[in-house]
Amino acid sequence: MLGSWSIGKKDHSHENRAPKEPVANGSGATEISEESDKAYESLARVLRCLGRHAFALDQLSEEDIEKEFERWARHVLVGTQIDADDSKKPEAGPRRDWGALTQFVNGHRQQEKSYVTRNLQDMRTVLCEFTNIMGRAFVEDQETDQKVTNHLVQLRTATEDGSFHDVKQALLAVVEGISALVDERKERQQQRLENLGEKLRLVEEELGGARKQMTLDALTQLYNRGALDLQLERTAGMSFFSGTSACILMVDIDHFKLVNDTYGHPAGDVVLQQVAKRLVSTFPRKTDFIARYGGEEFCVLLQGADGKLSQRLGERLLDAVRGEGFSYQDITIPVTASVGLAELLPGETVLSWLERADRALYRAKDNGRNQLYLATA
């Protein structure tokens, strides 16, 4: 009895104690771990989404911003350290720096807000100045019209009530007054046009520099996809009206993923930059339009070049790529490329032209890569 009572008393004392924290084992711990993993994955997806849809800021390109968000997404997933050189340094266990992550996201949003606010303010200033100029012109013209009306009223009064001499004097005064007003208005308009022309010239210079930056790919300094789309439309239109030839060369670096996986993404970026330089040296004419199409793919638009000439130039490009390895630090990376070539057909749309060049590129890759394939009609 005493033993039974003692055990019962012991159990009763445990009931009165504060509950213990749950021990991280068993099915409950597994559920908590799964929920944590889902939360990490969701947060990483959010960060990648923010990076993918970011817009370029004053000193940061879209690509740089996306890379930064990607580093933080990996940090959330596996707890890697964040380093400027994009390297992973695993620690003894995942340690996530939530404070630094919060600071990064908050800082980036502040940069975006500052950029948008500043540009909106610039737009408001331009609109305000334009409104003021138009308002002043309208008021000045109204004043001139009122003076003309006053002269005509004086002439009408003299005609109705005055003598012939009064009418003659009033008519001469009206002619002189209106002539002076017309000359004055012409002078104002000429001055206004000169001022607007000067302002437009300055704005054009500023926009020209900004437009060039907006149309360049940040990594390779070639034209970007948006600029290429516009140039393709222009070239197709010019070819239609002038009857000149035009060709597209789609260029893709062979096994580029293997380059990134073997030597790292910084090495891959260097390869892209050096391929861009060899493209520029192979196609040096001012009319040759070279763009980064996306990823490791490039597009060369040749105006006034038929299929035979473009094929010779494409083969020259293949020789330039495979002829000498690409240097990264103290490493030489062998690289080859595949090319799809399509000549614009009479009346062909840009979409069809691009699709034929793209199909030719895939035929070149399917046939063993490191070669050029000419598209058929």
Side-chain angles (χ1 to χ4, degrees):
M1 290 293 294
L2 181 59
S4 299
W5 182 85
S6 299
I7 294 174
K9 186 175 181 181
K10 185 176 182 181
D11 291 340
H12 184 70
S13 64
H14 274 288
E15 291 176 0
N16 293 332
R17 294 179 184 174
K20 293 183 176 180
E21 294 293 328
V23 181
N25 57 25
S27 60
T30 302
E31 292 177 1
I32 293 174
S33 177
E34 290 177 354
E35 289 298 322
S36 298
D37 290 342
K38 290 180 181 177
Y40 294 149
E41 291 173 1
S42 297
L43 179 55
R45 282 197 295 270
V46 170
L47 290 170
R48 283 170 173 155
C49 183
L50 288 173
R52 190 163 52 250
H53 299 291
F55 53 86
L57 300 176
D58 291 330
Q59 303 297 329
L60 291 172
S61 66
E62 296 176 21
E63 192 171 89
D64 292 335
I65 294 172
E66 185 174 0
K67 285 182 178 179
E68 193 66 22
F69 272 98
E70 175 61 28
R71 281 198 288 266
W72 280 106
R74 291 201 302 269
H75 175 72
V76 168
L77 288 173
V78 297
T80 54
Q81 290 185 1
I82 300 298
D83 294 289
D85 61 356
D86 198 26
S87 61
K88 298 181 183 178
K89 297 181 181 179
E91 300 177 351
R95 297 183 61 185
R96 297 171 177 85
D97 192 342
W98 301 115
L101 173 58
T102 303
Q103 185 177 4
F104 163 71
V105 175
N106 183 58
H108 181 74
R109 290 297 294 158
Q110 287 178 345
Q111 283 183 287
E112 286 184 331
K113 180 180 179 181
S114 174
Y115 179 83
V116 172
T117 302
R118 185 173 62 256
N119 282 275
L120 284 176
Q121 184 59 44
D122 291 343
M123 185 178 295
R124 291 192 189 99
T125 302
V126 171
L127 288 174
C128 184
E129 184 176 354
F130 176 77
T131 303
N132 289 336
I133 291 174
M134 295 302 296
R136 287 196 300 271
F138 181 75
V139 170
E140 290 171 356
D141 289 343
Q142 274 190 325
E143 292 174 351
T144 302
D145 292 340
Q146 184 60 47
K147 291 179 181 179
V148 171
T149 301
N150 293 339
H151 282 301
L152 293 176
V153 169
Q154 292 173 7
L155 178 60
R156 186 181 300 114
T157 302
T159 303
E160 293 174 352
D161 303 328
S163 63
F164 181 78
H165 178 74
D166 293 335
V167 172
K168 181 181 178 181
Q169 293 298 321
L171 183 57
L172 289 174
V174 168
V175 171
E176 291 177 359
I178 291 179
S179 296
L181 289 173
V182 169
D183 292 340
E184 183 182 338
R185 176 179 282 186
K186 284 183 178 179
E187 186 177 348
R188 282 203 310 267
Q189 289 178 340
Q190 183 64 32
Q191 185 63 41
R192 197 178 299 152
L193 287 174
E194 290 177 1
N195 292 338
L196 286 175
E198 180 64 21
K199 290 181 180 179
L200 286 174
R201 185 185 64 78
L202 295 174
V203 170
E204 186 177 9
E205 290 178 359
E206 294 176 0
L207 289 179
R211 191 182 300 114
K212 183 177 181 181
Q213 292 301 318
M214 290 174 65
T215 58
L216 292 182
D217 174 65
L219 179 65
T220 62
Q221 293 301 298
L222 299 177
Y223 288 103
N224 60 23
R225 177 66 184 275
L228 172 65
D229 290 341
L230 290 175
Q231 189 67 15
L232 284 169
E233 293 289 346
R234 293 176 186 146
T235 302
M238 289 174 57
S239 178
F240 176 78
F241 287 107
S242 65
T244 57
S245 301
C247 287
I248 289 176
L249 290 90
M250 299 297 293
V251 183
D252 188 83
I253 301 175
D254 296 330
H255 304 295
F256 185 71
K257 184 178 183 301
L258 184 61
V259 173
N260 281 332
D261 293 343
T262 304
Y263 304 101
H265 287 276
D269 289 346
V270 170
V271 169
L272 289 171
Q273 291 170 332
Q274 293 185 15
V275 167
K277 291 180 180 179
R278 298 189 191 187
L279 280 164
V280 171
S281 63
T282 304
F283 303 98
R285 297 187 310 166
K286 289 184 178 180
T287 55
D288 296 341
F289 193 91
I290 310 169
R292 185 181 179 188
Y293 194 74
E296 68 274 17
E297 197 168 355
F298 301 86
C299 182
V300 182
L301 179 58
L302 300 179
Q303 302 178 41
D306 59 13
K308 289 184 179 180
L309 175 59
S310 299
Q311 190 168 4
R312 290 201 302 271
L313 293 173
E315 294 290 351
R316 183 190 300 175
L317 172 64
L318 292 178
D319 291 338
V321 173
R322 65 190 168 212
E324 184 179 352
F326 291 75
S327 300
Y328 173 69
Q329 295 179 354
D330 57 347
I331 305 170
T332 299
I333 305 173
V335 174
T336 61
S338 301
V339 178
L341 170 62
E343 184 174 1
L344 180 64
L345 301 176
E348 186 177 22
T349 64
V350 169
L351 179 60
S352 171
W353 189 19
L354 269 174
E355 287 177 345
R356 289 196 302 114
D358 202 49
R359 286 197 298 270
L361 173 62
Y362 278 95
R363 290 293 298 272
K365 295 167 79 69
D366 291 341
N367 290 341
R369 304 177 192 270
N370 190 24
Q371 60 183 282
L372 181 147
Y373 191 88
L374 177 62
T376 58

